[in-house]
């Protein structure tokens, strides 16, 4: 008889010298085997008789994961102490259950490591592990002081709660239309800094300026401008599909 098990979290496949064994704790499932190690996400429901059956079902997943591990996302330096820490997603085939993604999609996030550390936007929640690895590799133990939300769409904000778990003292920067959505989506309603058109935030050697661009393409959208380097962090204003590494 098939047993229904919730697997809405992350499935971990570890390398151990044993036959496959299945462990469940909350919504985390672990399958151990001598076939290799990988980390990936499944859908909400899986059916299985035992660990051997689960392992057979996951064989193709493991092949794909080992391929992805050879091409892990790394932070990319843009200018001194400014990095792209986004991820390239080739696993998602349909965006928001509508748009086909034949060339994948990139989730763009940035970190500025000045006297204060600023993260600009995050990534879709299924890629949080890669994302945090890139961020922590840049910071080398430093904490995040500010998270700027240019755009509330889930592919920009999906890692917010996870980021807050790692850096609970960070201040979230947004505008008056950002914060009601932030509370409704993620239940975040504290440590907020509201900015208006033309406001600025000094982070040490640099100052960030904020400009509202409503309906490009959601009502809360804004851009963050770094005048010293003439860099605009534009959210989805010039958004397009496709991975950034030619996927």
């Amino acid at each position: 008889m098939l047993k229904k098990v919730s697997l809405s979290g992350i499935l971990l496949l570890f390398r151990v010298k044993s036959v496959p064994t299945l462990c469940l704790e909350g919504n985390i499932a672990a399958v151990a085997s001598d076939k290799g190690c990988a980390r990936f996400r499944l859908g909400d429901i899986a059916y299985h008789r035992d660990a051997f059956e689960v392992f057979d079902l996951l064989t193709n997943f493991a092949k794909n994961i080992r391929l992805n591990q050879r091409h892990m996302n790394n932070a990319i330096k843009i200018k001194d102490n400014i990095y792209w820490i986004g991820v390239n997603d080739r696993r998602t085939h349909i965006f928001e259950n509508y748009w086909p993604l034949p060339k994948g999609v990139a989730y763009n996030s940035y970190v500025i490591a000045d006297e204060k550390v600023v993260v600009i936007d995050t990534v879709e929640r299924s890629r949080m592990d890669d994302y945090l690895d890139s961020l922590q590799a840049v910071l080398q133990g430093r904490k995040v002081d500010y998270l700027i939300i240019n755009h509330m769409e889930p592919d920009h904000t999906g890692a917010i709660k996870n980021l807050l778990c790692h850096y609970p003292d960070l201040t979230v920067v947004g505008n008056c239309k950002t914060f009601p959505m932030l509370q409704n989506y993620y239940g975040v309603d504290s440590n907020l800094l509201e900015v208006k058109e033309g406001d600025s935030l000094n982070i040490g050697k640099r100052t960030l300026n904020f400009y509202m661009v409503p309906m490009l393409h959601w009502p809360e959208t804004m851009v963050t401008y770094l005048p010293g380097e003439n860099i605009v962090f534009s959210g989805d204003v010039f958004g397009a599909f496709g991975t950034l590494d030619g996927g």
Side-chain angles (χ1 to χ4, degrees):
M1 180 128 185
L2 293 179
K3 180 180 179 182
K4 186 165 83 170
V5 179
S6 174
L7 293 177
S8 59
I10 305 299
L11 190 83
L12 305 177
L13 186 62
F14 297 101
R15 179 183 295 278
V16 298
K17 294 182 179 179
S18 67
V19 298
T21 57
L22 178 67
C23 302
L24 293 175
E25 181 178 354
N27 64 353
I28 304 299
V31 175
S33 123
D34 60 354
K35 299 295 185 180
C37 59
R39 180 178 297 169
F40 49 95
R41 177 181 174 172
L42 293 182
D44 288 340
I45 299 296
Y47 292 87
H48 73 281
R49 288 189 177 89
D50 53 33
F52 287 90
E53 181 176 350
V54 173
F55 186 82
D56 289 338
L57 291 172
L58 297 179
T59 299
N60 290 330
F61 280 106
K63 290 179 181 178
N64 290 333
I65 294 304
R66 285 194 292 271
L67 177 63
N68 285 340
Q69 287 177 328
R70 294 197 295 268
H71 301 281
M72 291 184 69
N73 294 279
N74 296 312
I76 297 175
K77 183 177 179 180
I78 299 174
K79 286 196 172 183
D80 286 345
N81 299 318
I82 304 175
Y83 297 86
W84 178 84
I85 53 169
V87 295
N88 293 302
D89 181 0
R90 300 180 196 85
R91 304 177 200 172
T92 302
H93 300 293
I94 301 292
F95 186 77
E96 295 181 344
N97 294 318
Y98 185 78
W99 304 98
L101 298 173
K103 297 183 179 179
V105 63
Y107 309 124
N108 298 316
S109 177
Y110 306 88
V111 60
I112 304 172
D114 207 300
E115 293 176 20
K116 300 290 187 179
V117 172
V118 178
V119 172
I120 301 176
D121 289 335
T122 71
V123 300
E124 202 272 335
R125 65 179 183 175
S126 67
R127 304 306 303 275
M128 285 189 291
D129 287 345
D130 291 342
Y131 175 64
L132 287 171
D133 286 347
S134 295
L135 175 60
Q136 291 169 349
V138 170
L139 296 187
Q140 295 294 302
R142 295 186 65 186
K143 67 182 181 71
V144 176
D145 297 288
Y146 296 102
L147 168 62
I148 296 172
I149 303 176
N150 281 331
H151 181 39
M152 272 298 301
E153 200 167 5
D155 57 313
H156 294 252
T157 59
I160 283 179
K161 292 192 73 171
N162 197 283
L163 203 61
L164 285 169
C165 286
H166 284 78
Y167 307 103
D169 297 324
L170 70 77
T171 298
V172 181
V173 181
N175 59 70
C176 63
K177 296 180 180 178
T178 306
F179 296 141
M181 300 174 73
L182 182 65
Q183 183 174 12
N184 289 334
Y185 278 35
Y186 304 111
V188 176
D189 58 5
S190 60
N191 291 345
L192 308 179
L193 175 62
E194 182 180 326
V195 294
K196 301 179 177 62
E197 176 74 16
D199 280 356
S200 61
L201 175 65
N202 182 268
I203 59 171
K205 297 179 180 179
R206 297 177 170 93
T207 296
L208 302 171
N209 297 337
F210 303 99
Y211 301 96
M212 308 300 121
V213 287
M215 300 317 298
L216 291 175
H217 57 111
W218 279 17
E220 85 303 341
T221 308
M222 66 182 191
V223 300
T224 302
Y225 178 54
L226 191 55
E229 282 87 355
N230 291 325
I231 297 174
V232 176
F233 299 96
S234 57
D236 258 358
V237 174
F238 305 104
F241 296 130
T243 61
L244 298 184
D245 58 356

